[in-house]
Amino acid sequence: MAKSMNLQWAAGSAPCWRVMITLEEKKLQGYEHKLLSFEEGQHKSQEVLEINPRGQVPTFKHGDSIINESTGACLYLESVFKDQGSKLIPDTPAEQALMYQHMMEGLSLTEKLNLVVYYEWFVPEAERHESAVKRNREALVSELQLWEGYLQNVAVGSYLAGAFSLADVVVFPNVAYAFRFGLSVVRFPKLAKYYSLLKERPSIKTSWPPHWVPGPQGFDVLKDV
Amino acid sequence: MAKDITLLWVAGSPPCWRVMIALEEKNLQGYNQKLLSFEKGEHKSKEVMDINPRGQVPAFKYKDYILNESYAACFFLECQHKAQGNDLTPQCPKELAQMYQRMFEGLNISQKGIDVIAYNWRVPEGERHESAQKRNKEALTEELKLWEGYLQQGPYLAGKTFSLADVVVFPSVAILYRFGLCEKRYPNLAKYYNCLKERPSIKASWPPKWDEDIKGGPPRDLLKDI
């Protein structure tokens, strides 16, 4: 089963990490994979473009099926391998609703983090404004405070939707990212606790990025957030 | 069942429309709903903030469960009402994979459309640049070429069956035609749009005042050269 799967990935990419966590959780180790280098532009190579015309990682194939969009790939794997490995979509309606809601809100967290960490990559020099930088940072703070609220009762086995779920698969890589880039554990204690609990989870330890690629402002861009 | 559902929505908002299409498809008509005025800023009212602290629509409750993210609401409704109304998840694993792939790629067409259509709403006056607007239009053009290719085969996004991919992507496509996208330039996309706009769930939920100008909003032919 895993042998018919192929993942092309890059170190430190949250979307790639999500798929790798899911593959571990669903006991699909042994899949074919290739580590690419962002710095060498390998995400724009022919090998990637053939599977993903957008020139983005991850690229993910299962037999002839292609699902490059990370959240989509995670949902697909949970659906097809429902009876194998950990259950990643809760059965009870209340937790299921919370799972889907937080999973999709995770994309908002991704966007707001990217706007701060990668501002200079996304915005050409002539279009940059202090006012935008300030607004992006404020939006990120508000966003992080929402997640701090969602994790009021975080404890072992009590994550974004109760037991570990696809919401955590999608969101944890972003949280790990934020702390790697200097987010304060003092200002965001619940997020810090969530991070310290889940970083010990086997699927997460096994797939931990071998290295991280610094953003334009290095690794402490979030220290004052 | 439908009486346990509440939706606060704004006319013409693609995320709201997605949820309304899903509700129709699952035969959940008769839900509680309230149309809010975007121009009057009602999406930032206390009523909305109580359900969605982000001050965004849709604000959606199913019993006590909050599902403001449109995709989350669609996934949940399909899961909870699997055997009711139309089946929105293909059985065949290959179509299922394609459904998920297109659903999430759909976020690109949604974002790139908004970047062009809502530029003046989203970017304060002192930060606007011709170069950014040009780049946004080019990005939308490249995105549309991808979808034109995807729709060579069909008739739906996941293949032979109407699915959640169409529920979430159709509104983001429709809004492009609202603002003047040229049908001739993207014939497969136009065929998809014209075919789906006849679907009962889509007709039933078609936004009111679709053909009216939005006060202070972008011109209706904004996308004619895309």
Side-chain angles (χ1 to χ4, degrees), chain B residues 5 28 39 55 60 75 102 120 150 152 158 168 174 198 213:
Chain B
I5 295 172
L28 289 164
E39 291 98 327
F60 181 78
F75 282 129
R102 297 290 181 252
N120 290 342
Y150 296 155
Q152 277 279 55
V168 302
E198 300 306 320
D213 291 333

Side-chain angles (χ1 to χ4, degrees), chain A residues 53-54 64-69 71-73 75-76 79-80 91 93-94 96-98 100-101 103-105 107-108 111-112 122-124 126-129 131-132 135 143 146-147 150, chain B residues 53-54 56 65-69 71-73 75-76 79-80 93-94 96-98 100-101 104-109 111-112 122-124 126-129 131-132 135 143 146-147 150:
Chain A
R54 294 176 186 277
D64 288 331
S65 295
I66 292 176
I67 320 121
N68 303 316
E69 299 295 317
T71 312
L75 282 161
Y76 169 80
S79 183
V80 172
D91 282 329
Q96 194 185 97
L98 202 55
Y100 281 124
Q101 169 65 10
M103 183 185 80
M104 292 308 299
E105 280 185 280
L107 304 185
S108 178
E111 193 197 345
K112 300 205 163 90
F122 289 143
V123 184
E127 295 172 19
R128 293 176 203 159
H129 296 271
S131 47
R135 197 173 52 251
E143 183 72 26
L146 270 177
W147 293 93
Y150 298 153
Chain B
R54 292 173 185 279
Q56 290 172 339
Y65 321 141
I66 291 177
L67 291 143
N68 303 315
E69 299 300 313
Y71 280 44
F75 282 129
F76 182 78
C79 243
Q80 293 298 312
K94 198 152 193 264
L96 184 69
Q98 190 155 308
Y100 282 125
Q101 171 64 9
F104 286 91
E105 279 195 273
L107 295 171
N108 286 290
I109 200 176
Q111 186 64 52
K112 288 170 189 171
R122 291 159 65 86
V123 182
E127 295 174 19
R128 293 175 202 158
H129 295 271
S131 49
R135 200 174 50 252
E143 187 67 29
L146 272 176
W147 293 87
Y150 296 155

Side-chain angles (χ1 to χ4, degrees), chain A residues 93, chain B residues 1-6 23 26-32 60-65 76-77 80-81 84:
Chain B
M1 199 68 67
K3 286 300 166 198
D4 293 326
I5 295 172
T6 301
L23 288 162
K26 304 312 290 184
N27 281 350
L28 289 164
Q29 298 90 345
Y31 56 90
N32 306 308
F60 181 78
K61 283 183 81 163
Y62 182 103
K63 298 185 185 168
D64 286 331
Y65 321 141
F76 182 78
L77 289 170
Q80 293 298 312
H81 296 278
Q84 185 174 317

Side-chain angles (χ1 to χ4, degrees), chain B residues 120-167:
Chain B
N120 290 342
W121 279 327
R122 291 159 65 86
V123 182
E125 202 169 344
E127 295 174 19
R128 293 175 202 158
H129 295 271
E130 285 276 327
S131 49
Q133 288 176 288
K134 179 166 180 283
R135 200 174 50 252
N136 291 345
K137 286 187 170 160
E138 284 165 3
L140 180 57
T141 304
E142 290 309 304
E143 187 67 29
L144 291 174
K145 286 180 190 163
L146 272 176
W147 293 87
E148 184 66 10
Y150 296 155
L151 286 163
Q152 277 279 55
Q153 308 206 303
Y156 302 111
L157 285 171
K160 297 192 197 60
T161 44
F162 180 88
S163 72
L164 283 177
D166 306 293
V167 171

